[in-house]
Amino acid sequence: TSSSMWKELKSWASAEIGGGDVGLYMLNSLSGHFTARLGQALVGRPPVAILLSPDTWAKETREGRAFVERIEDAVANTRSIDAMILCAGEPGNWRVEFVVGPEDSELRRELAEALDTEDRPVKPLGVGTAAASQPPPAPSEEWNLDGLADDLFLPVETLREIEWLLRDKKALVFYGPPGTGKTYVAQKIAERIQPHPRLRRLVQLHPSFGYEEFFEGYRPVGEEHGIALAKKDGPLRVVTRNAQGWPGHPSVVVLDEMNRANLPRVFGELFFLLEYRQESVGLMYSPNEQFALPDDFYLIGTMNTADRSVATLDQALRRRFHFFGMFPAEEPVPGMFRRFLAHHHPDMSWLADVLDRANALLSDRNIAIGPSHFMRADLDETTARRVWKHSVMPTIRDQFFDDESQADEFDFDMLRSGDADATS
């Protein structure tokens, strides 16, 4: 298309809105703050804007979000805009990619239909992506973890201890067997530290997860003529970039199932920064950049002890984290389950005794039965029996695969009556 086409398009769009003006803007930045500046620039300006970009709108920003999603944020924050026509290409060869506007804008729909291009309605401010563009509440020295006690069924003094551990090293691992609530507790504490989603992430680790997925690296992306490699940000890079835009606000990443990954490969040179927060290091894929972790960045991890992999952690890694054990037969977990039952299912209080007796028979805290199997809204005796038969017992039989007769001691009725104590 020729440049004269844009004059015609501006005139046509102006006529469509009753003679109003149409703004024409060139965008050449993929930085994390350009949409905020764009939104401010467009306040009180023409209700229709044509945005030209030399980059494809499918390209991702540093935060790992598509360029067009950034524009959607700007539209959501600019009440005077009815539609934005997004074009990519180069002078003399611009092409329409999308029309973005508020979901209740008739003009947005008309423009998308007339231009035969993709229509992208944006939800009102406070919903979906728009909510993520809003700044977090003012930072506070208080995390108010005390308010979590009732939600997590943990004693206040336990939460105070957890808070001290986090503030001391800014890196904490909850470890224990499956079903003890490690991930749930980690997520709830992370939400209390930083409720805003742009400054908080949950990352599920696995054996193929590495530095490139966690921080930054080159990954394949689709191009017009095939596949190319592009440097893309991982969750840690995204969170720390966002934190730069909101200094003074804490940020937090939750690493779930840390024991499943090769942690030195995941952290790379960032391993150094976990201990030396005031230092900076050069980066593997950005060698000209010196990177430092924000002073108020927190890392919360979970580790499953069922496979004994926690025992193999090297001392250098242990030194960088505090560790908080969560085992079914050791406080605070048994008390957490009893408080849950007392609050939600007082008639099922006997189930806590069943778990205590079963775990006493197992005599190994790393394979003990966690209460999360039964911490559910629909709990009753029928549900408890089904969960025991189809979730708990298969795991117990795996522990006694060489002599399954030992698993007979874990009969639900025997444990409930207390007969298992007599036979053990």
Side-chain angles (χ1 to χ4, degrees), residues 110-141:
E110 293 173 2
L111 287 172
E113 183 177 352
L115 294 170
D116 191 26
T117 192
E118 183 175 344
D119 181 14
R120 296 181 72 117
V122 176
K123 292 182 179 181
L125 186 65
V127 181
T129 58
S133 69
Q134 295 304 292
S140 172
E141 293 296 322

Side-chain angles (χ1 to χ4, degrees), residues 152-155 158-159 161-162 180 185 324-339 371:
L152 298 178
F153 303 100
L154 290 173
T158 297
L159 288 172
E161 181 178 359
I162 290 171
T180 51
V185 170
F324 188 91
M326 297 188 69
F327 294 89
E330 302 173 16
E331 292 296 342
V333 178
M336 176 177 65
F337 187 42
R338 291 185 181 276
R339 281 185 288 273

Side-chain angles (χ1 to χ4, degrees), residues 56-323:
T56 172
W57 294 101
K59 187 171 182 178
E60 290 190 351
T61 63
R62 288 179 176 178
E63 290 80 6
R65 304 179 62 210
F67 205 169
V68 67
E69 292 176 346
R70 279 294 189 187
I71 299 299
E72 290 174 329
D73 285 352
V75 170
N77 285 282
T78 310
R79 302 299 179 89
S80 61
I81 287 293
D82 285 327
M84 286 190 180
I85 303 170
L86 313 186
C87 309
E90 57 189 12
N93 188 31
W94 297 106
R95 63 186 183 278
V96 179
E97 294 271 340
F98 309 100
V99 174
V100 176
E103 61 181 359
D104 60 352
S105 170
E106 290 291 337
L107 182 60
R108 185 209 77 244
R109 286 190 284 267
E110 293 173 2
L111 287 172
E113 183 177 352
L115 294 170
D116 191 26
T117 192
E118 183 175 344
D119 181 14
R120 296 181 72 117
V122 176
K123 292 182 179 181
L125 186 65
V127 181
T129 58
S133 69
Q134 295 304 292
S140 172
E141 293 296 322
E142 298 297 326
W143 293 348
N144 192 26
L145 294 184
D146 292 1
L148 280 176
D150 291 340
D151 292 340
L152 298 178
F153 303 100
L154 290 173
V156 171
E157 55 269 23
T158 297
L159 288 172
R160 291 191 185 282
E161 181 178 359
I162 290 171
E163 179 178 3
W164 185 91
L165 295 172
L166 268 171
R167 290 189 183 276
D168 184 53
K169 287 193 175 181
K170 300 179 181 177
L172 173 65
V173 173
F174 292 101
Y175 70 105
T180 51
K182 300 181 297 297
T183 302
Y184 184 78
V185 170
Q187 285 185 278
K188 288 299 182 182
I189 290 176
E191 290 171 6
R192 189 57 58 95
I193 294 173
Q194 179 49 260
H196 199 279
R198 294 197 63 192
L199 299 181
R200 188 185 73 248
R201 286 290 190 281
L202 170 68
V203 181
Q204 173 69 61
L205 298 187
H206 50 78
S208 62
F209 196 89
Y211 178 92
E212 292 78 8
E213 291 75 27
F214 182 51
F215 189 70
E216 69 175 2
Y218 286 92
R219 299 183 228 167
V221 294
E223 294 286 351
E224 184 177 354
H225 301 294
I227 300 294
L229 291 177
K231 188 166 65 175
K232 302 180 72 174
D233 292 345
L236 178 60
R237 183 70 141 163
V238 170
V239 167
T240 53
R241 280 196 194 279
N242 291 343
Q244 290 175 356
W246 290 317
H249 292 271
S251 54
V252 58
V253 169
V254 176
L255 294 180
D256 196 31
E257 299 282 7
M258 290 175 64
N259 51 294
R260 293 186 180 276
N262 181 342
L263 294 179
R265 180 174 178 269
V266 170
F267 286 112
E269 68 271 9
L270 307 177
F271 195 66
F272 173 82
L273 300 179
L274 291 177
E275 184 171 9
Y276 300 98
R277 290 299 185 98
Q278 306 303 318
E279 303 290 336
S280 60
V281 296
L283 298 171
M284 187 186 312
Y285 293 104
S286 302
N288 296 324
E289 178 182 352
Q290 288 291 308
F291 177 80
L293 285 173
D295 187 56
D296 49 2
F297 170 78
Y298 296 88
L299 194 63
I300 305 176
T302 70
M303 285 189 171
N304 182 354
T305 60
D307 61 1
R308 307 301 198 280
S309 57
V310 176
T312 64
L313 292 177
D314 62 55
Q315 291 303 311
L317 181 66
R318 286 187 179 277
R319 192 176 68 247
R320 286 161 169 79
F321 290 86
H322 279 309
F323 288 78

